[in-house]
Amino acid sequence: MESSLFISGKLLSITTFVYFLAMVFYIIYVVSKSKTMGLLGTIGTAAGFFIETGGLVLRWVESYQMGIGRAPLTNLYESLVFFAWCGAGIYLAFEFYYKNRFMGAFVLPFISIAMAYASFSPNISQEIQPLVPALQSNWLIYHVITCFFAYAAFAVACGVSIMYIMKNSKEEKKKPLGNILSFFPSTATLDDINYKAIAIGFPMLTLGIITGAAWANYAWGSYWSWDPKETWSLITWFVYAAFLHARFTRGWRGKRAAWLSVIGFFAVIVTYLGVNLLLSGLHSYAS
Amino acid sequence: MTVKKDKFWDFLSSVPLAVALLIILAATSIIGTLIPQNASYEDYLREFGPVFTKVIETLDLFDMYHSWWFIFLLTLFTVNLILCSLKRLPPVLEQIKNPKRILTEEFEKGLPLCDTIRKKGSPERWKEAVKELLSKRYGTPYEEKIEDKAYLYFEKGRYSRLGVYITHLSIVIIMIGGLIGAFFGFRGFVNIPEGSAINQVFIRGGRAPYNMDFVLRCDKFTLSYYPMGMVKEYRSDVTIIENGREIKKDYLIVNRPLSYKGLTFYQSSYGVIDRHAKVRAFVKSGPNKGKSFELDISDKFVNIPFSSDYVKIIDHYPNLENFGPAMILQISEDGGMPVNFPVYKNLPDNDMNPQSKYFFKYLENEEHYYTGLQVTKDPGVWIVWIGCIMMMFGLYYSFFVVRKRVWARIYFEGERTAITIAGHSPRSRMFEEEFAKLLEDIKQINL
């Protein structure tokens, strides 16, 4: 038991390091445009994703060996690791589809920060702990997977939106784009990726809120009670709903939509971390 | 006047209003996450001071999600959503029923994806060839022949545009479900001591208690623990009794509620009614030194024989500081100040209160509990779930079903057959490649 616990922890530590390297490669790629660096970024992300998959599966197995037996999705450490896993998976899919590695320099930092925060913050326990009665439910798995899939998709959208805002601000002022920005995908493509990521994230977030409501109703008889976590998830939902409708409104496309995507991801971070760090409750990840 | 009225309706049913309302709802909702909701007036005074408390009170921010202005925003949002949908739905339905199926030369000009291929062979044979190729991708076409020109029309994902209306309708349905729950349901609680039964539910919000038409008895409440001492399960074994007859025995744990006759019971809390314990007291000093007695103690002081000393049990832990079960006793000797100390079951030789005349050994512990159950009646909850399922269908259709249309016009032109193909999809970027591939495939065909 001890030795295998060692292995999952080891694998996830390696993952942190590999994602960090991938991020560095992507950034060097953006600055130098060395194709090798871009390729290394992709290889790093993919390798990190596979090692992390192994780490997560092993952690699940280990929890059974400890006689606890629950999915590795139940505390802040595990949720950050899972967020990074979803983010890397979704990012790789987008990179493959759009054949553009520049986005890596803007998306990998989110993944790297999540893993580094999980691994190095002294406040985050990496222990496998048993579940309190309130969390002993299959709804936990459905709820967490849908929410984090959404969060990761929104992280991709946010990264792309930042690229959009950078490139667009130069284009609007008719300034020369410079060496780096001119290699970004066109603003139209960035806008398209932003929309696609949110088109995946929004239904997932909706499903996450619905599964959360169903679980809340099952556990304590109220599907909605305006607690801060619920409310912030609804705020996030409102922001992305505004984004989706803004696309049909003249004057709200492009730049403002990109800003809404950034604001939306800010709401995601508050929903995910802010509420827990500032308030207590069932969603709190404390100890 | 009518112009003004029209403008008002246009505004109420506009997408910019929807965007604005979504942003306003998002922004105002933040307030209730910063100001604690439904706390006591004293708490607000202490936290915010008298002036700010007055402001908060005036704006109903203590319970902002049920305040008049937030309800007004939600109502406006719903009205906007309904009007917006009603305005746009009829033309969409009309287009679904009667899409533009004939690719006229006039219509063609408005379609960016359009090309004409000229080939040898008769128009009839080409029509069949094109139909065969396109049917594989876009299903059975609509066919028509006008003045020697053959027209084909393919459509995939026809209903995808209904997705947004299904989603909007689902929001209205969820709200209706919520309102039904708010008006015809309630949330209450009961505390049932082990061995007792209740038939009345206390309702939150100061309403009269609700009389159940059956009786719920708590037979036993059990706490179980993980080896490291964390609570693993709260469990209430209960019996439903109707007209004096036992109908059903069942149990509740967190995440396993019990429903009966429209009421649902949820395990939510517990408490200790009384404690009993059996200990052996050894006298360490004084006139009775060397004697020992078995004592039945409880949470009220009992006299230790042949003395003016009293002892009671005040708490019990399943795993105190990782040494296993322990009871906390309180002892008062010769009228002195009471002293608390633990008695460990697994450390029978450790004297945790050396100053005392007595040394205690843990024999038995027994606690009687009451179980605290949340009780709800919500006749609207099923409507909410139907709305949620509809919403997922609606979102699926909106985002993952893509409408694609392809038109073909095949006619004899000079010595050859002209095949004009046009395509359209709202996700044009992806479709462009698909359309180019389609043209290429047709060019490859040799009859």
Side-chain angles (χ1 to χ4, degrees):
Chain A
M1 184 182 99
E2 281 299 314
S3 65
S4 64
L5 185 69
F6 187 61
I7 293 170
S8 89
K10 215 23 170 234
L11 285 180
L12 294 174
S13 303
I14 294 171
T15 307
T16 310
F17 179 67
V18 172
Y19 281 148
F20 180 77
L21 272 186
M23 176 185 83
V24 172
F25 287 138
Y26 276 127
I27 291 170
I28 297 175
Y29 169 62
V30 166
V31 179
S32 71
K33 280 169 229 72
S34 146
K35 284 225 164 80
T36 324
M37 283 296 155
L39 185 65
L40 282 174
T42 305
I43 291 171
T45 312
F49 182 72
F50 280 111
I51 299 167
E52 191 178 7
T53 309
L56 278 168
V57 170
L58 216 59
R59 197 174 162 93
W60 201 333
V61 172
E62 283 159 10
S63 80
Y64 273 94
Q65 288 169 348
M66 288 173 70
I68 296 168
R70 84 277 187 298
L73 304 169
T74 60
N75 56 28
L76 182 53
Y77 173 75
E78 290 171 342
S79 80
L80 283 163
V81 170
F82 187 64
F83 170 78
W85 186 79
C86 291
I90 291 175
Y91 169 73
L92 284 171
F94 271 84
E95 187 190 284
F96 179 77
Y97 188 82
Y98 283 93
K99 308 267 182 279
N100 187 301
R101 296 203 163 105
F102 274 79
M103 299 180 293
F106 293 84
V107 178
L108 259 283
F110 291 122
I111 295 168
S112 257
I113 289 168
M115 282 306 284
Y117 181 46
S119 306
F120 302 126
S121 167
N123 304 323
I124 296 176
S125 161
Q126 299 185 15
E127 266 175 69
I128 299 180
Q129 279 173 331
L131 291 181
V132 297
L135 296 182
Q136 295 166 11
S137 169
N138 281 335
W139 285 108
L140 172 81
I141 297 177
Y142 312 137
H143 178 55
V144 173
I145 287 178
T146 48
C147 287
F148 278 79
F149 202 85
Y151 292 177
F154 292 144
V156 172
C158 178
V160 170
S161 292
I162 292 169
M163 293 171 80
Y164 181 97
I165 291 164
M166 285 169 69
K167 187 160 185 167
N168 185 59
S169 70
K170 282 275 171 81
E171 280 182 354
E172 265 184 351
K173 290 173 199 146
K174 302 244 162 27
K175 278 189 187 164
L177 284 175
N179 209 8
I180 293 170
L181 288 179
S182 60
F183 274 81
F184 278 15
S186 69
T187 46
T189 305
L190 290 170
D191 186 57
D192 191 49
I193 300 173
N194 188 21
Y195 171 76
K196 290 236 169 64
I198 290 172
I200 293 168
F202 188 74
M204 276 295 159
L205 176 68
T206 310
L207 202 52
I209 294 174
I210 290 174
T211 50
W215 184 14
N217 189 62
Y218 199 64
W220 56 86
S222 164
Y223 52 83
W224 195 261
S225 33
W226 294 104
D227 89 0
K229 190 83 164 182
E230 284 173 351
T231 308
W232 268 101
S233 72
L234 187 67
I235 291 167
T236 308
W237 193 85
F238 280 144
V239 174
Y240 286 110
F243 169 90
L244 291 168
H245 289 85
R247 289 178 65 84
F248 302 111
T249 311
R250 195 191 290 256
W252 272 89
R253 307 199 72 162
K255 192 169 78 178
R256 284 193 188 176
W259 275 111
L260 272 178
S261 172
V262 173
I263 293 168
F265 191 62
F266 173 76
V268 166
I269 291 173
V270 176
T271 309
Y272 174 24
L273 297 173
V275 172
N276 303 95
L277 299 177
L278 302 171
L279 303 150
S280 65
L282 254 190
H283 277 102
S284 118
Y285 300 113
S287 67
Chain B
M1 188 63 202
T2 46
V3 176
K4 258 190 184 166
K5 205 172 158 190
D6 282 352
K7 268 195 174 163
F8 179 68
W9 282 108
D10 281 350
F11 170 70
L12 262 189
S13 60
S14 68
V15 179
L17 178 66
V19 175
L21 281 171
L22 284 166
I23 292 173
I24 293 169
L25 280 169
T28 51
S29 294
I30 297 172
I31 302 168
T33 66
L34 301 177
I35 298 174
Q37 298 290 291
N38 297 309
S40 74
Y41 194 78
E42 290 72 30
D43 286 343
Y44 290 115
L45 268 182
R46 198 171 335 112
E47 184 99 1
F48 300 107
V51 178
F52 200 47
T53 300
K54 191 80 201 155
V55 174
I56 293 175
E57 197 185 10
T58 315
L59 291 173
D60 256 347
L61 296 181
F62 296 146
D63 190 15
M64 69 150 278
Y65 302 110
H66 303 102
S67 68
W68 62 269
W69 61 267
F70 195 75
I71 303 261
F72 171 76
L73 279 178
L74 283 178
T75 311
L76 192 59
F77 173 71
T78 314
V79 167
N80 171 247
L81 179 139
I82 292 170
L83 291 179
C84 217
S85 307
L86 286 181
K87 190 160 98 179
R88 287 165 180 77
L89 184 59
V92 170
L93 285 176
E94 177 55 32
Q95 280 177 38
I96 287 173
K97 221 163 71 185
N98 285 316
K100 210 151 169 61
R101 296 184 176 97
I102 307 298
L103 183 69
T104 59
E105 274 155 28
E106 188 62 37
F107 179 43
E108 184 185 317
K109 283 174 197 155
L111 295 167
L113 296 180
C114 185
D115 205 354
T116 302
I117 299 163
R118 292 179 176 81
K119 286 278 196 177
K120 278 183 189 150
S122 74
E124 284 72 28
R125 287 179 60 201
W126 269 108
K127 192 198 88 181
E128 287 311 315
V130 169
K131 186 178 156 187
E132 198 193 319
L133 181 82
L134 290 177
S135 297
K136 277 183 207 148
R137 293 174 205 182
Y138 305 106
T140 320
Y142 170 86
E143 286 180 60
E144 200 170 323
K145 199 166 170 117
I146 306 168
E147 297 169 357
D148 291 342
K149 288 179 181 174
Y151 294 91
L152 295 174
Y153 172 65
F154 300 82
E155 187 174 8
K156 219 179 146 186
R158 171 178 300 191
Y159 298 106
S160 78
R161 279 183 310 165
L162 287 182
V164 59
Y165 302 100
I166 296 170
T167 309
H168 286 177
L169 179 62
S170 75
I171 293 172
V172 176
I173 289 175
I174 289 169
M175 288 193 165
I176 290 171
L179 285 176
I180 289 175
F183 283 110
F184 302 107
F186 62 78
R187 281 164 67 74
F189 66 95
V190 288
N191 288 336
I192 321 174
E194 283 178 310
S196 303
I198 54 96
N199 65 351
Q200 247 190 1
V201 179
F202 296 97
I203 310 295
R204 289 178 208 280
R207 279 152 64 184
Y210 175 86
N211 291 311
M212 303 168 12
D213 47 10
F214 60 93
V215 169
L216 187 70
R217 188 177 71 208
C218 173
D219 300 316
K220 192 170 163 45
F221 177 82
T222 324
L223 273 166
S224 51
Y225 298 87
Y226 289 108
M228 44 280 256
M230 283 172 66
V231 174
K232 185 179 182 181
E233 191 176 271
Y234 306 100
R235 173 179 166 133
S236 303
D237 286 278
V238 296
T239 306
I240 291 167
I241 301 162
E242 222 172 341
N243 304 321
R245 276 185 37 231
E246 291 189 2
I247 302 287
K248 188 177 166 191
K249 276 189 180 296
D250 208 335
Y251 70 94
L252 290 103
I253 57 176
V254 183
N255 280 310
R256 188 186 185 278
L258 170 68
S259 288
Y260 192 71
K261 289 205 160 173
L263 295 183
T264 311
F265 299 86
Y266 303 83
Q267 183 67 57
S268 87
S269 66
Y270 76 99
V272 175
I273 305 170
D274 54 23
R275 301 177 179 282
H276 293 276
K278 205 170 260 187
V279 289
R280 179 164 284 277
F282 298 88
V283 185
K284 292 188 287 189
S285 60
N288 295 322
K289 186 176 173 180
K291 283 190 179 160
S292 77
F293 329 98
E294 203 173 284
L295 284 177
D296 285 315
I297 57 174
S298 71
D299 40 16
K300 311 243 166 12
F301 273 121
V302 292
N303 179 242
I304 300 173
F306 314 114
S307 75
S308 55
D309 306 328
Y310 294 86
V311 67
K312 71 176 178 184
I313 174 167
I314 57 171
D315 210 347
H316 183 270
Y317 294 93
N319 185 1
L320 185 61
E321 317 217 309
N322 268 326
F323 290 117
M327 51 180 79
I328 306 293
L329 299 187
Q330 188 173 71
I331 191 163
S332 165
E333 295 175 63
D334 303 316
M337 283 289 284
V339 176
N340 295 351
F341 60 98
V343 175
Y344 290 95
K345 188 178 187 180
N346 301 337
L347 304 172
D349 301 322
N350 281 34
D351 186 357
M352 306 305 286
N353 190 13
Q355 275 85 37
S356 167
K357 273 184 267 180
Y358 304 96
F359 169 64
F360 291 92
K361 241 183 185 167
Y362 184 121
L363 296 179
E364 268 173 37
N365 178 65
E366 196 183 321
E367 287 158 318
H368 292 128
Y369 296 102
Y370 68 85
T371 183
L373 306 179
Q374 167 96 38
V375 190
T376 63
K377 182 181 160 188
D378 188 350
V381 73
W382 288 108
I383 298 169
V384 172
W385 298 143
I386 288 168
C388 288
I389 290 166
M390 257 180 79
M391 185 181 279
M392 290 322 298
F393 270 106
L395 291 175
Y396 174 78
Y397 266 90
S398 307
F399 291 114
F400 300 113
V401 176
V402 182
R403 184 177 184 223
K404 291 172 184 169
R405 290 183 291 168
V406 176
W407 296 263
R409 185 174 69 234
I410 298 152
Y411 52 100
F412 202 60
E413 190 189 62
E415 312 223 310
R416 290 189 293 181
T417 293
I419 307 152
T420 304
I421 305 275
H424 185 263
S425 170
R427 307 276 166 83
S428 51
R429 190 166 283 274
M430 259 200 272
F431 188 65
E432 262 170 46
E433 276 177 39
E434 187 179 320
F435 186 75
K437 176 96 177 32
L438 195 78
L439 290 177
E440 206 47 48
D441 289 347
I442 292 172
K443 281 178 192 158
Q444 297 296 322
I445 300 176
N446 282 310
L447 292 181

